[in-house]
Amino acid sequence: MPSLRQYFPILDWGRTYNRLALSNDLIAAVIVTIMLIPQSLAYALLAGLPPEAGIYASIAPILLYTIFGTSRALAVGPVAVVSLLTASALGQVAEQGTAGYAVAALTLALLSGGFLVLMGVFRLGFLANFLSHPVIAGFITASGILIATSQLKHILGVSAHGHTLPEMIASIFAHLNAVNWITLMIGTTATAFLFWVRKNLKASLLKLGASRLVADILTKAGPVAAVVATTVAVWAFGLADRGVKIVGEVPQSLPPLTLPGFSPDLLSTLLVPGILISIIGFVESVSVAQTLAAKKRQRIDPDQELIGLGAANLGAAFTGGFPVTGGFSRSVVNFDAGAETPAAGAYTALGLAIAALFLTPLVYFLPNATLAATIIVAVLSLVDLSILKKTWGYSRADFTAVAATIILTLSLGVEVGVASGVAVSVLLHLYKTSRPHVAEVGLVPETQHFRNIHRHKVKTDPTLVTLRVDESLYFVNARFLEDLIQKRVTNGCDVMNVVLMFSAVNEVDYSALESLEAINLRLRDMQVGLHLSEVKGPVMDRLSRSHFLDELNGEVFLSQFDAWRQLAKSPRSASE
């Protein structure tokens, strides 16, 4: 049974499910459902799909994640960044509003889900590590700016277009003469109200004596209040006849059974966007899940999370949805509301199903401007330009990666931004590891410890050079070590022995082995001994399977202090 519980976590937490957990999960589900109804509609709008697609994408996926997911607080469904990526990908294959566009959305969810499940089955969650945190922060910041800008057309009531920031701004300015002033008033009022609700309502309610639970529910219901007020206003004053664009008719039904497209051309076109959406969605989801799990001393299994998110996306593909992942805001709300288990998600799905059956006629007169305001307020919290200042002060290389990701995403679009983020992350890693930190060390007086001769007062010996290698050795940096040793040994003629301190070396690949052999031969010709110290067991095992140790013209010491005692001829202070 352990293997079965591994793939079906519901069998684990479900055994201890009790009345208290049920109560907490139901309360959390009510709060999250209230928040998700307008949010789901808004993210469908962002993805270029009918509003009901947002609700459909929040029912079956949540239920499937409840069965396969390991996080007890993660709330799965449409999110802003993935919705933007979806719109960008689908725009390449079909026009918004067509049947082909909706089928392409299902296919994208299918590809994303299939890729995630395969990664989970083969335990490839580590691949997400190729996206560094600074690059992810830069991409999300740029995406937030793009998303907010893309919604300005709904606030203004114009038909602007574009997938990059310059295109969007140029298109908006070109259509300013067609602004619908009633729509603008609705949009700006809703945006200002939602900002006020987010920043001030909870504190105001607590000051008035409301309980924290009531304050939380009313604050999360802020978007619902905006939806109700603007919908009533449009209906009561007939504003739809005065140019205010509305949601219109939303089918009153549960998610239908749908079939993605399997055309080879469609699959090949959407394959790369599907993979990028999978990676971005997984990184966002697993980071949120790990953060929330740590607060309750719980743990998640990243590889099983891949399967859970994959199953959720497959569910969306066959129930009229589009790609989904774990959302930051809704997950935090779910956690703060007291969700104990993934069952809270199942109850949320039930609430959304009830809304799909009975409440959709009520949103007929809901203005698109209100949904746009909901999106703008939600995504601006993702924008963190301070990451530029932080990385500039800490690491110029990380700053370059963040700045490049932001600029490329804004100027060339989200897909190029994601691809460039992956490329920059990999190149940044290769750059850093290609020039590993190698410190020449000496003995700290009256101890057996060795430290950098340029940072500490230590004992050295002119006949002995000890280099501490602070990085695994592989094909990218192997030559760097060769050149460094060659330069150090030829600086003077007193050196008789070189010791490579391998305490931080976890791996030596074949290219690095060849470099070590070349170093050994060169030093032998110079009548300089090459020694190793503090070699880790796995590295020693690998070296033992080669001829390197047999041909080494020195020794392998258990500790650097042993090497010092045997090889140091005339130790002296480094300051002398």
Side-chain angles (χ1 to χ4, degrees), residues 212-227:
R212 184 168 294 275
L213 177 61
V214 171
D216 277 337
I217 293 176
L218 292 178
T219 300
K220 300 305 182 294
V224 176
V227 165

Side-chain angles (χ1 to χ4, degrees), residues 448-519:
Q448 296 183 13
H449 301 295
F450 291 79
R451 293 293 184 269
N452 193 323
I453 64 172
H454 300 298
R455 294 178 179 269
H456 302 273
K457 292 182 178 181
V458 294
K459 291 181 179 180
T460 61
D461 186 322
T463 67
L464 176 64
V465 173
T466 297
L467 299 175
R468 189 189 68 222
V469 183
D470 294 333
E471 181 71 61
S472 291
L473 297 177
Y474 69 121
F475 66 95
V476 171
N477 60 24
R479 186 60 185 267
F480 177 83
L481 185 62
E482 278 189 65
D483 295 339
L484 181 68
I485 292 175
Q486 180 72 15
K487 181 179 179 181
R488 177 63 181 85
V489 172
T490 55
N491 277 342
C493 58
D494 294 334
V495 177
M496 299 174 57
N497 292 286
V498 173
V499 181
L500 297 181
M501 188 174 174
F502 269 23
S503 55
V505 176
N506 297 316
E507 176 72 23
V508 176
D509 76 355
Y510 192 78
S511 296
L513 175 64
E514 291 183 331
S515 289
L516 291 175
E517 290 173 342
I519 293 169

Side-chain angles (χ1 to χ4, degrees), residues 144-222:
I145 295 172
L146 283 178
I147 292 168
T149 306
S150 72
Q151 297 307 297
L152 291 179
K153 62 184 180 182
H154 298 296
I155 298 291
L156 298 171
V158 299
S159 55
H161 62 275
H163 294 290
T164 67
L165 188 62
E167 289 176 353
M168 292 178 188
I169 292 175
S171 183
I172 288 171
F173 273 101
H175 291 83
L176 282 180
N177 59 339
V179 170
N180 184 290
W181 295 102
I182 299 176
T183 299
L184 178 61
M185 184 174 66
I186 293 173
T188 53
T189 302
T191 303
F193 171 74
L194 291 174
F195 270 120
W196 177 82
V197 166
R198 175 169 288 224
K199 292 185 176 181
N200 302 311
L201 180 58
K202 184 174 180 179
S204 300
L205 291 172
L206 291 174
K207 285 181 180 179
L208 292 174
S211 68
R212 184 168 294 275
L213 177 61
V214 171
D216 277 337
I217 293 176
L218 292 178
T219 300
K220 300 305 182 294

